[in-house]
Amino acid sequence: YQNRAKNVESGVAPLVIDRTLKGPIAVVGYGPSLLKTWERVRDFPTIITVSKAHDFLLERGIAPTMHLDLDPRIHKVEFMTRPQKETQYYLSTHVHPAYPEKLKAAGVPVQMFHVAIEKHMKLDPRYPSLPARFDAGVQAAELAFQNGYREQHWFGLEYGCEAGNTHAGMHWGVQHPPEVRCVVDVDGRQFECTKLFFHGLLLAEHFLCQRALVKCTIHGDGLLGHFLKARNRVRPKILI
């Protein structure tokens, strides 16, 4: 609440929503499968990143078209080490106030929006509201949907671990100690997971059920694609 109160007075431009239908978009998270699939991202004219996927792609010569953040903690500000003038940045009003200030100082384009976590709360009308999603990855998919991107390709959104790693590289924030780790059995194949990530699996599935107009392709051999295929409530295309 304190972050939001300060950010709405910061003068950051509000999110502009353009609902005209557009072409494909790559929605890029920082899950471990990104290490094996990132080169495919080059094929997309429009890319939206979250978390450290922003810098991960820049280090490989790929500039995101857009980047979204919504975590209220200070470490997300530290993640943003290379703001780019050709990238459009989208921030929730509840991010740490140092984040929009950092981007404004860098002279990069920034727009801000509310995440309607509490549906009936009265929010500052200067900024539009988006439905709350589980994490930044699915929130980016929601923003893409609102802006007319119906063909979505998901990279690094998997909610599983690989060789004990929860992300494609160094990541600090929510910790996943041994006591919250678990194994998800999908048709006899066992995937490493955490209790928090399992919640993410269900809410990613919920998004695709609710946004049935989204034609989703999941890239990589991660947990999410196999989980959705086995449950058969939604039918994304899976490209290993």
Side-chain angles (χ1 to χ4, degrees):
Y1 299 124
Q2 292 174 344
N3 288 353
R4 184 183 285 148
K6 187 167 183 177
N7 285 332
V8 297
E9 301 301 331
S10 67
V12 173
L15 169 67
V16 176
I17 297 176
D18 174 8
R19 301 188 189 279
T20 57
L21 295 180
K22 302 173 182 66
I25 188 171
V27 181
V28 187
Y30 197 50
S33 67
L34 186 61
L35 289 165
K36 298 177 181 178
T37 62
W38 68 267
E39 290 189 78
R40 303 179 197 174
V41 178
R42 294 189 190 277
D43 297 333
F44 293 87
T46 307
I47 303 163
I48 184 167
T49 55
V50 298
S51 189
K52 285 181 71 67
H54 176 278
D55 284 13
F56 180 97
L57 292 184
L58 284 175
E59 289 164 4
R60 289 156 177 81
I62 304 172
T65 316
M66 299 171 270
H67 180 78
L68 178 144
D69 260 314
L70 48 75
D71 193 303
R73 294 167 297 171
I74 188 66
H75 76 270
K76 287 294 182 178
V77 187
E78 298 164 355
F79 275 10
M80 183 49 61
T81 62
R82 299 174 61 185
Q84 304 289 304
K85 288 187 174 9
E86 65 265 40
T87 301
Q88 174 67 60
Y89 294 89
Y90 297 108
L91 299 180
S92 166
T93 53
H94 67 255
V95 299
H96 194 284
Y99 204 154
E101 292 303 319
K102 183 175 186 175
L103 294 185
K104 285 165 61 180
V108 300
V110 189
Q111 294 180 14
M112 206 155 58
F113 62 94
H114 296 303
V115 175
I117 299 170
E118 297 152 310
K119 293 182 179 179
H120 303 294
M121 174 172 283
K122 185 177 180 181
L123 297 171
D124 191 296
R126 288 173 288 183
Y127 295 98
S129 296
L130 296 181
R133 299 299 179 183
F134 173 70
D135 61 359
V138 183
Q139 197 71 57
E142 174 67 34
L143 185 144
F145 172 84
Q146 297 284 348
N147 270 315
Y149 293 96
R150 299 292 186 263
E151 182 183 341
Q152 299 189 8
H153 291 253
W154 291 8
F155 293 85
L157 300 181
E158 61 209 78
Y159 305 106
C161 313
E162 188 170 310
N165 295 317
T166 55
H167 296 84
M170 186 180 68
H171 184 281
W172 58 97
V174 176
Q175 299 300 310
H176 302 273
E179 60 268 22
V180 301
R181 302 258 175 163
C182 60
V183 172
V184 178
D185 188 296
V186 182
D187 292 336
R189 181 175 172 184
Q190 295 188 332
F191 291 86
E192 298 177 74
C193 191
T194 73
K195 294 178 180 179
L196 180 64
F197 280 1
F198 189 79
H199 189 56
L201 286 172
L202 297 175
L203 291 179
E205 179 186 65
H206 174 73
F207 167 81
L208 292 173
C209 287
Q210 191 178 59
R211 301 304 192 195
L213 292 176
V214 171
K215 180 182 178 183
C216 182
T217 299
I218 296 175
H219 292 256
D221 196 24
L223 172 56
L224 177 60
H226 293 279
F227 180 82
L228 297 178
K229 183 178 179 180
R231 298 224 333 150
N232 201 32
R233 298 184 68 216
V234 293
R235 297 182 179 181
K237 184 177 180 180
I238 301 170
L239 293 180
I240 302 298

